[in-house]
Amino acid sequence: MRALLSFIVSTASFGSSLLAGVAAAAEPFNSSPQVDDPIHTPAELVESMHSAFGYNHCRAVHAKGVIFQGEFTPDSHAKEITKAPHLQGPSSKVTVRFSDFSGVPTIPDNDPMANPRGIAIRFELPGGASTDLVAHSFNGFPVSNTDDLRELMLAIAASGPCVATPTALDRFLEFHQTARAFLTAQKTPASFATISYFGVGSFKFINAKGEGHYVRYQVVPDAGEHLLTDEEREKQSANYLMDEIKARVAAAPIGFALYAQVAEHGDRINDPSIAWPDNRKRVLLGRLEIKKLTANTAEEDGTLVFNPSNVPTGIETADMLSSFYSKAFRLSAKEERDVASVAGN
């Protein structure tokens, strides 16, 4: 498996210079985003992920992770763009899971295919409800829709160092330049606490006046970004990120600022593969403080399923990715629980 993952990175690197100077054509701002109906089901997407990463009886992606508890304090500016309860005040408790990419639960933290890193946040709401936020350390997504994501996973599964070229992955990347960038332009962090994370998908924020804004989340570390070169990465241990973040939080709480990047005319709302320009307005939603490690048992990790479409009043999903991905996450988690139940018997 590791040989295949290394092959993917080296193959994707070939011809990456073609991306230089390529800009996506702008679409008119769409106040009511249209979405395409996917041909394939969430179950078929999960199956394709298993084909790519192996049947490891765990999450189909971001299988290796670590869980913490903390607190979120909203900023006063948040209520200007949304009436969501956790963004009005007071503070709320949060559960946070950092993770490596891929569906391999034993993937080394210093493996190139452990990128992008993930952060998932569950906010506790009054009355026992909750809302979730899912983000990763890449500003964008490899493809624009879930059918193409399935094709990418199948192309990875069908390729490898022993497969004649051009491989299925070669052919896929030839026509999907954003996927090539996703595989070649990743950053490797020195810590989960020293890299920025970007929300997967777009959301519509609605404030108390009924005004709507399309946004994407950004989670920015208080410690700033500290990254590793390829040479530095190769020298790290297989669990360097997991060990480092546990020690860091044990010494002192770590913080992140949560922002909403606000779309403008010409930004693509329903295409997660296209990042919005950096000069777009950002509204500070609040501050996240991570305070302590949880028990991190296999049962806790297996039952903790983050749902991007689990949104409260004042927030709506604005593209198909969130709801489709949520179904895939739930299916993947159910598979993991079913296997654990059988093993326990």
Side-chain angles (χ1 to χ4, degrees):
M1 174 57 68
R2 186 166 186 177
L4 172 58
L5 298 180
S6 298
F7 166 79
I8 292 168
V9 174
S10 61
T11 300
S13 298
F14 177 75
S16 60
S17 60
L18 293 175
L19 294 174
V22 176
E27 290 180 347
F29 186 88
N30 189 347
S31 61
S32 180
Q34 300 297 311
V35 297
D36 296 326
D37 290 330
I39 297 173
H40 298 283
T41 66
E44 289 176 298
L45 176 59
V46 171
E47 179 66 19
S48 72
M49 291 174 173
H50 288 323
S51 296
F53 301 122
Y55 292 81
N56 299 298
H57 309 305
C58 59
R59 300 168 194 260
V61 287
H62 291 280
K64 183 179 181 181
V66 59
I67 307 167
F68 294 89
Q69 291 179 339
E71 186 175 59
F72 175 76
T73 304
D75 188 84
S76 59
H77 291 93
K79 62 181 64 177
E80 297 174 5
I81 61 171
T82 179
K83 58 185 177 182
H86 65 300
L87 298 176
Q88 309 304 300
S91 300
S92 56
K93 294 181 179 179
V94 294
T95 299
V96 178
R97 185 179 187 268
F98 294 105
S99 60
D100 290 340
F101 182 64
S102 95
V104 182
T106 57
I107 188 170
D109 293 347
N110 63 342
D111 191 303
M113 284 302 291
N115 285 318
R117 315 298 164 155
I119 185 173
I121 309 168
R122 172 157 296 169
F123 303 83
E124 293 187 13
L125 302 180
S130 66
T131 182
D132 298 335
L133 186 159
V134 175
H136 61 197
S137 58
F138 183 82
N139 192 6
F141 203 66
V143 291
S144 62
N145 60 76
T146 55
D147 284 339
D148 280 353
L149 180 59
R150 175 180 175 272
E151 291 304 313
L152 173 59
M153 293 293 110
L154 292 176
I156 291 173
S159 304
C162 298
V163 177
T165 58
T167 66
L169 183 60
D170 291 330
R171 293 191 293 271
F172 183 90
L173 296 179
E174 181 180 358
F175 297 101
H176 296 83
Q177 293 298 319
T178 55
R180 185 185 296 278
F182 185 85
L183 293 175
T184 59
Q186 295 290 341
K187 300 175 181 179
T188 299
S191 168
F192 282 122
T194 63
I195 194 164
S196 296
Y197 301 88
F198 302 87
V200 177
S202 305
F203 296 85
K204 184 178 182 180
F205 275 20
I206 305 167
N207 63 19
K209 299 178 182 178
E211 299 167 333
H213 300 81
Y214 290 103
V215 307
R216 288 178 178 171
Y217 292 111
Q218 295 184 0
V219 187
V220 180
D222 289 351
E225 284 207 335
H226 298 281
L227 309 174
L228 301 181
T229 64
D230 287 344
E231 182 179 3
E232 291 171 332
R233 171 184 55 77
E234 291 172 357
K235 294 178 180 178
Q236 301 302 314
S237 70
N239 290 306
Y240 86 94
L241 282 177
M242 302 295 166
D243 294 340
E244 193 281 340
I245 196 66
K246 292 175 184 177
R248 184 184 287 251
V249 174
I254 61 173
F256 292 85
L258 176 62
Y259 290 94
Q261 184 188 32
V262 183
E264 294 182 8
H265 181 84
D267 293 337
R268 295 189 181 187
I269 306 303
N270 61 339
D271 186 345
S273 70
I274 305 300
W276 297 345
D278 290 337
N279 63 0
R280 294 297 181 255
K281 177 183 177 180
R282 294 194 311 173
V283 176
L284 179 61
L285 300 178
R287 305 198 68 80
L288 179 69
E289 188 175 48
I290 299 172
K291 298 181 176 181
K292 66 177 182 179
L293 183 72
T294 71
N296 273 271
T297 63
E299 180 181 7
E300 177 188 15
D301 192 56
T303 57
L304 185 59
V305 183
F306 295 90
N307 180 351
S309 63
N310 175 26
V311 293
T313 300
I315 301 177
E316 298 175 357
T317 57
D319 58 39
M320 61 166 260
L321 185 66
S322 294
S323 59
F324 194 99
Y325 228 30
S326 295
K327 294 174 183 177
F329 288 163
R330 291 196 296 271
L331 284 170
S332 176
K334 183 178 183 302
E335 289 179 357
E336 181 180 4
R337 289 194 297 270
D338 288 347
V339 170
S341 176
V342 171
N345 291 333

